[in-house]
Amino acid sequence: MPELPDIVVLVASMNEALPGKEISNISVHQSKVLNRPITTFRKEMLGRTFRSFSQRGKWVISELDTGSMLAFNLGMGGELRLHWPPMVPDPKRERVVFSFNDGSQLWVHFWWFGHVHLLKSGELSSHPQIGTLGIEPLSDKFTEEKLVEMFEGKRGRIKSYLLDQRFIAGIGNVYIQDILWHAKLHPNRQAKTLLVEDVKRLHHAIQHVLREGIKQGPGPGEQDVWGNRGQWGKQPGWPQIAYRTGKSCPTCQTLIDEIRVGSTTSFLCPRCQV
Amino acid sequence: MPELPDIVVLVASMNEALPGKEISNISVHQSKVLNRPITTFRKEMLGRTFRSFSQRGKWVISELDTGSMLAFNLGMGGELRLHWPPMVPDPKRERVVFSFNDGSQLWVHFWWFGHVHLLKSGELSSHPQIGTLGIEPLSDKFTEEKLVEMFEGKRGRIKSYLLDQRFIAGIGNVYIQDILWHAKLHPNRQAKTLLVEDVKRLHHAIQHVLREGIKQGPGPGEQDVWGNRGQWGKQPGWPQIAYRTGKSCPTCQTLIDEIRVGSTTSFLCPRCQV
DNA sequence: TAATCTAACAACGA
DNA sequence: CTCGTTGTTAGATT
């Protein structure tokens, strides 16, 4: 699933490519991705234009000319792709296709668990998932103190909290790998054992890795609205740890390990991360 | 902790012994058993008389002359005892002592986790524990159909549900032993595997064992308000299974086993109960 | 040993 | 983590 950096890059490309296009047709091939009956959805969306796009957690939020919002969650294996000339989509693969008045199309693709939710102005905050998202880790409000607070009184492992979208929005099981490596913290480290020093390193690592992710372009399997992919894995320094099992830790040359943490996989340097 | 049959017997004795007595003094030796500050509690209780007593789940509920309720939960090792002539209670042992105008005393004793909660008329249903109690298993409303419904869509082991006070009120880890033996059901039996036949046997076993418990008098460690104890363990047929590890199953002579089920102990016939 | 609440965790389903 | 629900467990304690 695309995480914060992937969404930031995708949203930037959508802001270049899509504003002003008027929706002239909509095909929905899997109705449960919508939060309304198909007919209602079509009626409310036809004739609308996208005004702008923004990122919130792992969601793409677009503002329509009516002031309503269309919120995309790409689930697993998700893509938002602009197509021109128009093609006939494979209905098994494409969940929703928006056709525009200039002949181009926006394909919403994912193989499982995605959402395309129409929200009236002001309904963002009452949306069961979007409304409960935590802080944006690249915003000014995400301070070291906030991170200290977040762990206060918590008993579990830090990885659980970093992945919990109600605390921090946008970190998933890809970028967290390098975040924990930069912070020199083991994913199983208990929150209550963190020192202020640890939290400071973690705070810095979160912002550093997410910003670097934006700079490097979409992560593995991700792309922008035109299908451009990023540098991930194509150059030596990026990523340092994620999906590099058996390679050497850049700091100490110990071999990178792959372990199960709860139901997720973690990549880590067993020597640097404690 | 006293369970439904023990509470029924205790309540009956309290209805004989206590109505009409006026509370002339109250000593509270552990304030956290109350749901009010001690001074407020004393002010509201002094001069009151007990009108009647009833059983709800594992609670003793008494109605005062004001229409308010005083709800007792005896926690672990709990006793409600009428004393005359008055004695000086050991404050380490006795949590609350009510002195009456005739010189007698009601001692509230337990070594852990008991409650003495004052509730205004109508507050019973909003009490966090009493208000969420499930059905009374000896009431007419407790039908086989109710029991079938209770297990519908449930995935866990039946013992969890039978002990969960939000489903059925009043069964604890003592009487459940003979209930499951009579129903020929293993405590770890998954709810979803129950046949209608099983549920029917279970329904009958619940009512049979609880009624027999009332008839036999208070269970192990329990007593009525005068301190009378029951027949438990003093005669061959009662109980059949509970606390009889290593004895013979009355049906098949297999030795009774003692196992851990979650965090509780279960006694069972490994041959009869499946 | 017991009772109940809760957080954390796992299993499952959508 | 993709997220919600449900059940299980460990820890704390009203």
Side-chain angles (χ1 to χ4, degrees):
Chain A
M1 171 182 251
E3 303 177 22
L4 185 147
D6 313 315
I7 300 290
V8 167
V9 172
L10 175 61
V11 155
S13 69
M14 294 177 84
N15 271 322
E16 282 192 52
L18 298 178
K21 287 182 190 273
E22 183 184 321
I23 299 167
S24 55
N25 196 16
I26 303 170
S27 314
V28 178
H29 304 127
Q30 191 183 41
S31 62
K32 67 181 175 187
V33 311
L34 305 180
N35 63 341
R36 294 190 170 19
I38 296 183
T39 51
T40 315
F41 184 79
R42 282 178 54 90
K43 199 177 299 168
E44 300 198 50
M45 291 298 299
L46 286 177
R48 302 282 69 76
T49 63
F50 290 117
R51 191 183 279 166
S52 65
F53 298 84
S54 59
Q55 165 268 331
R56 179 78 177 98
K58 303 176 186 175
W59 290 74
V60 174
I61 314 268
S62 84
E63 193 187 342
L64 303 175
D65 54 349
T66 57
S68 288
M69 307 285 182
L70 195 61
F72 300 88
N73 183 300
L74 295 187
M76 300 188 165
E79 298 172 13
L80 283 174
R81 291 292 307 282
L82 178 63
H83 282 281
W84 193 90
M87 303 164 63
V88 176
D90 172 0
K92 287 223 179 56
R93 238 184 84 90
E94 312 311 320
R95 308 306 187 170
V96 182
V97 173
F98 296 89
S99 299
F100 300 112
N101 57 349
D102 65 358
S104 61
Q105 298 175 328
L106 179 68
W107 291 18
V108 181
H109 165 78
F110 45 78
W111 59 269
W112 225 2
F113 304 144
H115 303 285
V116 178
H117 285 184
L118 179 58
L119 301 167
K120 303 285 189 197
S121 167
E123 282 182 356
L124 272 185
S125 61
S126 62
H127 185 277
Q129 287 163 59
I130 302 170
T132 56
L133 287 175
I135 199 165
E136 283 291 327
L138 295 184
S139 75
D140 293 343
K141 299 194 167 183
F142 182 61
T143 59
E144 289 173 2
E145 293 71 34
K146 271 273 162 38
L147 198 55
V148 170
E149 274 176 39
M150 197 182 103
F151 288 120
E152 258 166 15
K154 294 298 190 298
R155 291 193 275 119
R157 49 174 73 117
I158 56 175
K159 188 175 182 185
S160 307
Y161 297 108
L162 294 172
L163 291 178
D164 190 328
Q165 303 299 305
R166 293 168 301 182
F167 291 113
I168 301 177
I171 301 175
N173 201 42
V174 172
Y175 292 91
I176 197 173
Q177 311 296 341
D178 277 56
I179 288 172
L180 288 173
W181 178 78
H182 273 277
K184 300 185 185 301
L185 293 172
H186 195 285
N188 278 332
R189 177 74 170 270
Q190 295 295 303
K192 61 168 65 161
T193 70
L194 289 176
L195 308 175
V196 174
E197 278 305 298
D198 297 316
V199 178
K200 283 190 177 184
R201 282 200 317 282
L202 182 55
H203 177 266
H204 180 263
I206 289 169
Q207 296 202 326
H208 171 73
V209 170
L210 295 179
R211 289 201 178 108
E212 189 66 21
I214 294 169
K215 198 181 300 175
Q216 298 280 346
E222 309 299 338
Q223 48 196 314
D224 67 17
V225 79
W226 298 293
N228 300 313
R229 297 180 180 275
Q231 297 305 313
W232 186 283
K234 291 176 190 161
Q235 51 183 59
W238 183 255
Q240 306 271 35
I241 293 292
Y243 300 98
R244 290 174 55 76
T245 314
K247 304 281 199 316
S248 295
C249 167
T251 302
C252 74
Q253 278 67 53
T254 303
L255 296 188
I256 294 169
D257 203 0
E258 184 179 336
I259 66 172
R260 293 297 288 176
V261 174
S263 60
T264 71
T265 301
S266 272
F267 302 85
L268 56 87
C269 170
R271 181 154 170 211
C272 292
Q273 296 178 247
V274 291
Chain B
M1 172 184 253
E3 303 177 22
L4 186 148
D6 313 314
I7 301 290
V8 167
V9 172
L10 175 60
V11 156
S13 70
M14 293 177 85
N15 271 322
E16 282 192 53
L18 299 178
K21 287 183 188 273
E22 183 184 321
I23 299 167
S24 56
N25 196 15
I26 304 171
S27 315
V28 178
H29 304 126
Q30 190 182 40
S31 61
K32 64 187 173 183
V33 311
L34 306 179
N35 62 341
R36 293 191 172 17
I38 297 184
T39 51
T40 316
F41 184 81
R42 282 178 55 91
K43 200 178 299 170
E44 301 198 50
M45 291 298 299
L46 286 176
R48 303 281 68 79
T49 62
F50 290 117
R51 192 183 278 165
S52 65
F53 297 85
S54 60
Q55 166 269 331
R56 178 79 177 96
K58 302 176 185 175
W59 290 75
V60 173
I61 314 267
S62 83
E63 193 187 343
L64 303 175
D65 54 349
T66 57
S68 288
M69 307 285 183
L70 195 61
F72 301 87
N73 182 301
L74 295 186
M76 302 189 179
E79 299 172 10
L80 283 175
R81 291 292 307 283
L82 177 64
H83 282 281
W84 193 90
M87 302 165 62
V88 176
D90 172 0
K92 287 224 179 55
R93 238 182 84 89
E94 312 311 321
R95 309 307 186 168
V96 182
V97 173
F98 296 89
S99 299
F100 300 112
N101 57 348
D102 64 359
S104 62
Q105 297 175 329
L106 179 68
W107 290 18
V108 181
H109 164 79
F110 45 80
W111 59 267
W112 226 3
F113 302 146
H115 305 283
V116 179
H117 284 183
L118 179 58
L119 301 167
K120 303 285 186 195
S121 167
E123 281 182 358
L124 270 186
S125 60
S126 62
H127 186 275
Q129 287 163 63
I130 302 170
T132 56
L133 286 175
I135 198 165
E136 284 290 328
L138 295 185
S139 76
D140 292 342
K141 298 196 166 179
F142 181 62
T143 59
E144 289 173 3
E145 294 71 34
K146 270 275 162 41
L147 198 55
V148 170
E149 274 175 41
M150 196 181 104
F151 287 120
E152 259 166 15
K154 293 299 190 298
R155 292 190 276 118
R157 51 173 71 116
I158 57 174
K159 188 175 181 183
S160 306
Y161 299 110
L162 293 172
L163 290 180
D164 190 329
Q165 303 299 304
R166 293 168 302 183
F167 292 114
I168 301 177
I171 300 175
N173 201 42
V174 171
Y175 293 92
I176 197 173
Q177 312 297 340
D178 277 57
I179 289 172
L180 288 173
W181 178 78
H182 273 276
K184 298 184 186 301
L185 292 172
H186 194 286
N188 278 333
R189 177 75 170 269
Q190 295 294 302
K192 61 168 65 159
T193 70
L194 288 177
L195 308 176
V196 174
E197 279 305 298
D198 297 317
V199 178
K200 282 190 176 185
R201 282 202 315 283
L202 182 55
H203 178 266
H204 180 262
I206 289 169
Q207 297 202 325
H208 171 73
V209 170
L210 295 179
R211 289 200 179 107
E212 188 66 19
I214 294 169
K215 199 181 297 176
Q216 298 281 345
E222 310 299 338
Q223 49 197 314
D224 66 18
V225 79
W226 299 292
N228 299 314
R229 298 180 179 275
Q231 296 305 312
W232 186 283
K234 292 177 188 158
Q235 52 184 57
W238 184 254
Q240 306 271 37
I241 292 294
Y243 300 98
R244 291 173 55 78
T245 314
K247 304 281 199 317
S248 295
C249 168
T251 302
C252 73
Q253 278 66 54
T254 303
L255 295 189
I256 294 168
D257 203 359
E258 184 178 335
I259 67 173
R260 294 294 289 176
V261 174
S263 61
T264 70
T265 302
S266 272
F267 303 84
L268 54 88
C269 170
R271 180 155 172 208
C272 293
Q273 295 179 247
V274 291

